[in-house]
Amino acid sequence: MSKLETDSIHAGLVPEENLQALSLPPISTGVSYKLPAFGSKLFDALLMENDQAAHVYSRWSNPTVRVLEERVAALENAPATVAVASGMAAISALVFTFLSAGDHLIANEVCYAGAVELFAVHLPRFGIEVSLVDTSDLDQVQDAVRPNTKLIYIESPVNPLMKIVDIGACAAIAHAAGAKLAVDSTFATPVLQRPFDIGADFVIHSMTKYLNGHGDALGGIILGSGQDMLRIRREMLVHLGGALSPFNAYLILRGLASLQLRMEKHCASAGQIASFLEAHPKVEKVFYPGLESHPHHSLAKSQMSSMGGMLAFRLKGGLGAAITLAEKVKVFSYATSLGHPESLLFYYPTDIYFESAAYYNQEQKSRLRDWAGDGIMRASIGLEDVETLQKDLDQALRRRYWKSAAGNLLYPLVKRSLSTK
Ligand SMILES: *Cc1c(COP(=O)(O)O)cnc(C)c1O
């Protein structure tokens, strides 16, 4: 019997002290921890001198959350990490820790909507300068650099457009400018992409998505150097307060056990569905990094070990076809989020998106329209049987439905319902 294989599953476990927990830690719900009355251990804990200092209060650190932090740090090959309540809590902790009035941020003009809105609408309120550029075009990144650039923030693959951004090249631009590079690697997970190995200073995940993988817990994580993570914990976890619930940490730990297996299935099914859609008469264009037709296909192949479970596509029938697809799928659900066991679809109509994004200039809008046409359907390919998923899309795409024809007619109504919200 191989010792190594057994050890890799059992080593380090102390059953006597941990009877209730074979592979997962207990859910430590206690908010406050008994402290030494006085002395250096007390000061270590209160000042959070290091990652291993005793727990004081659950907003600062928690035993269940710490197990999750150590596990994700190992997966991502990161020196240190802070887990927080959501992906957005991770992104806000990052920018509020490292950016001050007078600093400059360069970020993807399109990425997770909550992140772009935080950057474009809120950071300027605090005197932080923001440039939104297409970071998949390195000239734009380079041209945006200013003497006060502190942080370059990218997502790759980009949500929802599925552009691929060159992480190593952006790291080089950031470092030459004396700035740091943060990568939101949510779509790729540590299974497909290792940003630290190619120069990233920070990696962010919405653990709500693939890391948990079950669609039943919000969570986020920031990874980086020991010093930077300690700063985030002391300055932002303590003061902004976006602490992760230990129950959610437990759920995410439970989900993580199957991450590799799930990603293999998500990737295989998404690859098959991407090819199927590319050949479909109702589909105008498919954006999946694994397709040779994807403009960033070769970069994706060099940066990612497999092409992921997310794809985007344009429909020949525009908004009407999107409404039909959304209403006529039976196995897919029309819903936001991604990385769940269930397959999900979500549509971004370009004009409506522009209306909610007053910060885009004409150049940014025309770039977005070039890629997304009049709208883009994002698909998160789940863990269901792939033939069933394919048939489901096919029947919904071919469906005759009065709303397909009424797409353009419906558009003003959709617009009005959005603007009165
Ligand atoms: C969902 C998502 C986020 C935000 O995560 P939450 O956990 O919902 O706060 C950030 N980045 C990307 C790429 C996402 O998909």
Side-chain angles (χ1 to χ4, degrees):
M1 227 175 93
S2 156
K3 194 167 175 305
L4 189 142
E5 274 158 80
T6 312
D7 276 353
S8 69
I9 295 167
H10 295 278
L13 206 73
V14 189
E16 288 80 5
E17 291 178 9
N18 221 356
L19 277 175
Q20 71 280 53
L22 253 177
S23 60
L24 293 173
I27 303 172
S28 297
T29 54
V31 162
S32 172
Y33 294 83
K34 193 174 164 85
L35 295 167
F38 203 74
S40 66
K41 279 200 170 145
L42 175 66
F43 293 113
D44 274 0
L46 292 180
L47 300 174
M48 288 190 267
E49 280 304 334
N50 58 63
D51 262 2
Q52 300 306 321
H55 300 289
V56 175
Y57 188 65
S58 257
R59 174 157 41 75
W60 306 11
S61 69
N62 169 281
T64 315
V65 173
R66 183 166 288 171
V67 176
L68 174 63
E69 289 172 333
E70 286 176 4
R71 200 162 292 180
V72 179
L75 296 178
E76 199 59 273
N77 198 14
T81 173
V82 181
V84 288
S86 67
M88 279 312 300
I91 296 165
S92 58
L94 176 83
V95 295
F96 286 120
T97 302
F98 296 105
L99 298 177
S100 304
D103 290 340
H104 176 233
L105 166 75
I106 299 172
N108 275 42
E109 63 193 6
V110 177
C111 56
Y112 180 70
V116 193
E117 287 162 10
L118 171 67
F119 302 155
V121 178
H122 298 290
L123 292 189
R125 292 199 291 124
F126 299 94
I128 296 162
E129 298 167 23
V130 178
S131 298
L132 298 179
V133 302
D134 180 351
T135 56
S136 71
D137 175 355
L138 295 170
D139 289 341
Q140 285 188 40
V141 181
Q142 184 63 62
D143 290 348
V145 170
R146 299 177 188 170
N148 55 342
T149 303
K150 269 277 177 57
L151 185 67
I152 298 181
Y153 178 98
I154 62 175
E155 234 176 57
S156 190
V158 171
N159 183 2
L161 301 179
M162 298 305 299
K163 290 187 179 185
I164 305 295
V165 180
D166 189 330
I167 296 171
C170 286
I173 294 172
H175 298 157
K180 288 186 171 174
L181 177 74
V183 180
D184 181 336
S185 199
T186 298
F187 272 32
T189 81
V191 177
L192 310 185
Q193 171 171 289
R194 309 297 288 274
F196 286 120
D197 296 350
I198 44 179
D201 301 289
F202 302 104
V203 172
I204 282 176
H205 289 282
S206 166
M207 297 195 290
T208 313
K209 314 294 171 50
Y210 288 108
L211 297 195
N212 176 45
H214 290 71
D216 56 5
L218 286 168
I221 198 157
I222 319 155
L223 305 104
S225 74
Q227 207 183 355
D228 286 342
M229 293 306 105
L230 203 56
R231 242 188 99 181
I232 288 187
R233 192 180 296 282
R234 277 180 180 161
E235 297 180 19
M236 286 305 130
L237 205 47
V238 170
H239 300 131
L240 290 186
L244 180 65
S245 132
F247 182 63
N248 281 17
Y250 170 87
L251 288 173
I252 296 166
L253 275 165
R254 186 178 157 117
L256 271 181
S258 60
L259 178 66
Q260 169 84 38
L261 273 173
R262 285 187 284 108
M263 290 316 292
E264 284 169 15
K265 170 86 172 165
H266 284 300
C267 292
S269 298
Q272 183 175 327
I273 288 180
S275 303
F276 160 75
L277 288 174
E278 192 166 49
H280 201 284
K282 303 281 185 183
V283 174
E284 186 178 72
K285 205 171 176 62
V286 181
F287 298 103
Y288 181 68
L291 291 176
E292 281 186 17
S293 59
H294 191 291
H296 310 143
H297 175 63
S298 58
L299 172 61
K301 276 204 303 191
S302 70
Q303 192 164 276
M304 298 165 71
S305 60
S306 191
M307 299 298 135
M310 299 298 300
L311 53 91
F313 53 102
R314 277 158 47 172
L315 292 158
K316 285 185 181 157
L319 182 66
I323 294 170
T324 304
L325 187 58
E327 293 191 7
K328 295 303 178 188
V329 282
K330 294 173 181 150
V331 183
F332 275 83
S333 298
Y334 190 69
T336 60
S337 201
L338 55 109
H340 299 193
E342 306 84 14
S343 291
L344 307 173
L345 288 175
F346 193 69
Y347 190 62
Y348 297 81
T350 303
D351 288 315
I352 294 175
Y353 182 65
F354 286 160
E355 276 183 31
S356 69
Y359 38 84
Y360 285 138
N361 61 33
Q362 277 314 320
E363 194 189 322
Q364 290 166 325
K365 285 182 183 175
S366 70
R367 219 166 17 230
L368 196 87
R369 197 181 292 280
D370 276 351
W371 188 278
D374 54 9
I376 204 157
M377 184 71 83
R378 184 185 73 186
S380 170
I381 304 304
L383 300 175
E384 303 95 334
D385 160 61
V386 65
E387 301 301 331
T388 306
L389 294 177
Q390 201 164 297
K391 280 195 190 120
D392 189 35
L393 289 174
D394 192 42
Q395 65 80 21
L397 283 167
R398 291 177 192 277
R399 196 65 179 243
R400 283 163 175 268
Y401 184 38
W402 66 271
K403 288 186 187 174
S404 312
N408 288 338
L409 225 126
L410 283 170
Y411 175 68
L413 297 177
V414 179
K415 237 165 80 167
R416 191 160 339 126
S417 77
L418 271 180
S419 60
T420 52
K421 249 203 250 167

